[in-house]
Amino acid sequence: MDIDVDRLSNLPAHVVEHILSQLPLRDAVRTCILSKKWRYTWSKVPHIVFDTQCVSLVTQDQALIKTKLINIVDHVLLLHNGPLYKFKLSHRDLLGVSDIDRWILFVSRTTCVKEFVLEIWKGQRYKLPSCLFLCENLTHLELFNCLLKPPATFKGFKNLKSLDLQHITIFQNVFEELVSSCPLLERLTLMNFDGFSSLNIKAPNLQFFDIGGVFADVNFENTIHLSLVSIGLYVNAKQDQIVASRIPSKLVRFFTHLPHIRRLEIQSYFLKYLAIGNVPTRLPMPCFDLSYLSIRINFNDLDENLATLCLLRSSPNLQELEMLARPEDQPVVGSLTNYWEDEHWNNLFAHLRIVKVVGISGQKSELDFINFLLSNAPVLERMSVKPASLSVGLELLKDLLRFRRASVHAEIIYLDP
């Protein structure tokens, strides 16, 4: 036993650091009993994570859990000795208590923190203290259920590469200044936000953008490197309040500053937003790099079909396509008779290999679209179809089997709902 302890005591510092970094904080602290040399070794761990694993109490007493958590965080920070590169506070019972201000002040004074994650799972929005904005070396910032109001002296996070904001409150000018003042920003996630409704994104190094929420407009500027976009609008766009033919196409404007987009996910009602305005036959500049496209669509909406058609025509190198049906209780807008059977469709999808169609109910507009895809994809390898319910399964399967296929290697896979 003594030999084993000696081996532990004589491990190189970088090996010890690696071992501790792989352990939950609670277990890292427990290593203090291994030997005298290990007694305070855990206090030099550069990555501190306070999560559900660090408090093990079998109780529903919220006051007791809160007190225990506060004591643990206070104890760890008090004894911490060394550089701190990552700080994460994310406990399912965590409220926006005033003690968090103290902890953030401690973190800001370390000057070397690179990753900061704060997730407040309960209660009202937690207003971040101004000292957080003094962490100039941050490369990753992740906030959940927070209110952001930087001090007037804040000039941005010059080293920030990843920004993840969920369930946050932030004003329009603050958001725009925050994004534009992070010149190295590569990844931006924005979910369920309030305080502003227009998204103006200016980020020259941005590569990944994931957004879901309620907003009125979205604009990109100086985003030449943006290649992965997932965007969902959670409310129905109000097309009936405008005269579509009199305003510029939202679809065209959306893609103007996305010349190198490779992967695009159009979720919820965002396709309806893109369909606003005078949709052209093709985009002015084709999306040559777009290889993956996912669209949630109401197949009975003519405007959404037109926008989809324009996008498909403008994506000559598309390899994977996912179509997610979004049924709506509304009358068909416009005529869809033989819409997907026009003569100009010869082998439109020269590179399309994989297709997924999900949530359909066997309506004619849906079947016409599937028939259109099979007829115009000469290198198609696999199409999977998953209906919305079992009630349409048999008839749908019969229709799928009778459709002509441009690819002799195309495999049609029926998936139960």
Side-chain angles (χ1 to χ4, degrees):
M1 179 65 182
D2 291 339
I3 295 176
D4 292 336
V5 172
D6 287 340
R7 287 176 179 174
L8 288 172
S9 300
N10 293 322
L11 285 174
H14 71 279
V15 175
V16 173
E17 180 180 320
H18 178 72
I19 293 174
L20 292 175
S21 68
Q22 303 303 309
L23 297 175
L25 181 61
R26 183 178 59 183
D27 294 336
V29 174
R30 286 174 173 174
T31 61
C32 67
I33 66 173
L34 293 177
S35 70
K36 290 183 179 180
K37 189 173 181 179
W38 277 71
R39 185 173 183 182
Y40 293 109
T41 303
W42 68 267
S43 65
K44 298 179 181 179
V45 173
H47 303 95
I48 296 181
V49 176
F50 298 102
D51 56 16
T52 305
Q53 296 184 59
C54 74
V55 180
S56 57
L57 289 176
V58 185
T59 178
Q60 298 298 319
D61 189 335
Q62 296 299 311
L64 182 59
I65 295 175
K66 172 185 172 182
T67 300
K68 181 70 172 179
L69 179 61
I70 291 174
N71 289 339
I72 289 175
V73 178
D74 283 340
H75 179 74
V76 170
L77 295 184
L78 177 65
L79 295 180
H80 189 268
N81 180 27
L84 180 59
Y85 299 133
K86 176 180 179 179
F87 179 87
K88 179 177 180 179
L89 182 59
S90 175
H91 192 281
R92 62 173 178 243
D93 294 309
L94 180 66
L95 296 168
V97 295
S98 58
D99 301 86
I100 298 178
D101 290 1
R102 263 190 308 111
W103 302 333
I104 294 179
L105 178 60
F106 172 88
V107 172
S108 67
R109 287 176 174 173
T110 64
T111 69
C112 58
V113 63
K114 296 181 180 296
E115 296 183 42
F116 183 90
V117 180
L118 177 61
E119 296 176 330
I120 309 294
W121 295 103
K122 294 182 177 180
Q124 61 185 9
R125 296 279 199 265
Y126 166 70
K127 184 179 179 181
L128 290 164
S130 58
C131 58
L132 174 65
F133 300 95
L134 298 176
C135 301
E136 298 179 350
N137 294 311
L138 281 180
T139 59
H140 176 79
L141 177 60
E142 190 171 335
L143 302 171
F144 187 98
N145 195 24
C146 294
L147 187 155
L148 283 75
K149 191 175 182 181
T153 55
F154 178 63
K155 301 301 181 183
F157 296 115
K158 303 305 179 184
N159 298 298
L160 196 68
K161 292 186 176 182
S162 176
L163 179 61
D164 188 325
L165 305 175
Q166 301 192 40
H167 293 270
I168 57 104
T169 298
I170 184 172
F171 294 127
Q172 180 86 43
N173 63 318
V174 175
F175 172 75
E176 293 179 7
E177 290 173 5
L178 175 61
V179 173
S180 61
S181 63
C182 299
L184 301 182
L185 190 64
E186 297 176 354
R187 298 178 63 87
L188 175 58
T189 299
L190 187 63
M191 294 287 171
N192 297 302
F193 52 92
D194 55 67
F196 68 103
S197 59
S198 293
L199 296 164
N200 298 309
I201 310 298
K202 299 178 183 179
N205 282 299
L206 194 63
Q207 300 173 23
F208 172 92
F209 181 49
D210 185 9
I211 176 179
V214 177
F215 53 90
D217 209 4
V218 57
N219 295 290
F220 295 104
E221 183 178 336
N222 194 17
T223 52
I224 190 173
H225 297 294
L226 188 52
S227 59
L228 286 80
V229 176
S230 177
I231 184 165
L233 177 61
Y234 294 166
V235 294
N236 201 336
K238 303 296 184 181
Q239 294 190 72
D240 55 339
Q241 297 179 358
I242 62 173
V243 180
S245 60
R246 296 181 182 178
I247 68 171
S249 170
K250 299 280 189 182
L251 185 68
V252 172
R253 190 183 65 177
F254 180 79
F255 284 95
T256 298
H257 296 280
L258 300 176
H260 300 299
I261 188 167
R262 293 188 292 109
R263 182 184 179 96
L264 174 62
E265 298 178 4
I266 299 173
Q267 302 178 7
S268 302
Y269 292 96
F270 192 64
L271 181 61
K272 190 174 288 292
Y273 165 88
L274 292 177
I276 294 176
N278 188 16
V279 177
T281 302
R282 285 182 172 83
L283 294 174
M285 180 62 68
C287 302
F288 289 112
D289 296 329
L290 188 62
S291 62
Y292 177 92
L293 177 62
S294 175
I295 300 177
R296 186 165 291 278
I297 179 176
N298 175 8
F299 282 102
N300 287 327
D301 189 307
L302 179 59
D303 292 328
E304 292 189 36
N305 279 270
L306 286 172
T308 300
L309 171 56
C310 173
L311 187 50
L312 292 176
R313 279 179 177 152
S314 305
S315 308
N317 297 312
L318 192 64
Q319 296 182 29
E320 294 187 47
L321 175 64
E322 180 181 52
M323 302 296 292
L324 308 171
R326 192 191 71 245
E328 295 182 25
D329 296 328
Q330 64 178 44
V332 175
V333 180
S335 175
L336 293 176
T337 305
N338 298 325
Y339 181 78
W340 298 106
E341 299 177 8
D342 207 331
E343 59 183 1
H344 59 268
W345 286 114
N346 292 332
N347 293 338
L348 175 68
F349 305 108
H351 303 282
L352 188 63
R353 298 182 299 103
I354 299 174
V355 173
K356 296 179 182 179
V357 182
V358 180
I360 61 174
S361 54
Q363 298 182 39
K364 185 179 185 303
S365 56
E366 299 167 340
L367 296 175
D368 287 346
F369 180 76
I370 293 175
N371 189 20
F372 150 70
L373 285 177
L374 290 172
S375 301
N376 292 279
V379 298
L380 184 67
E381 298 173 4
R382 183 172 72 253
M383 172 185 282
S384 61
V385 179
K386 185 177 182 179
S389 66
L390 287 172
S391 61
V392 299
L394 182 59
E395 291 302 318
L396 177 59
L397 189 57
K398 291 179 180 179
D399 289 325
L400 294 176
L401 292 175
R402 69 178 173 81
F403 289 151
R404 184 181 69 85
R405 310 175 197 180
S407 171
V408 295
H409 302 292
E411 178 185 12
I412 298 180
I413 302 173
Y414 173 86
L415 301 174
D416 288 329

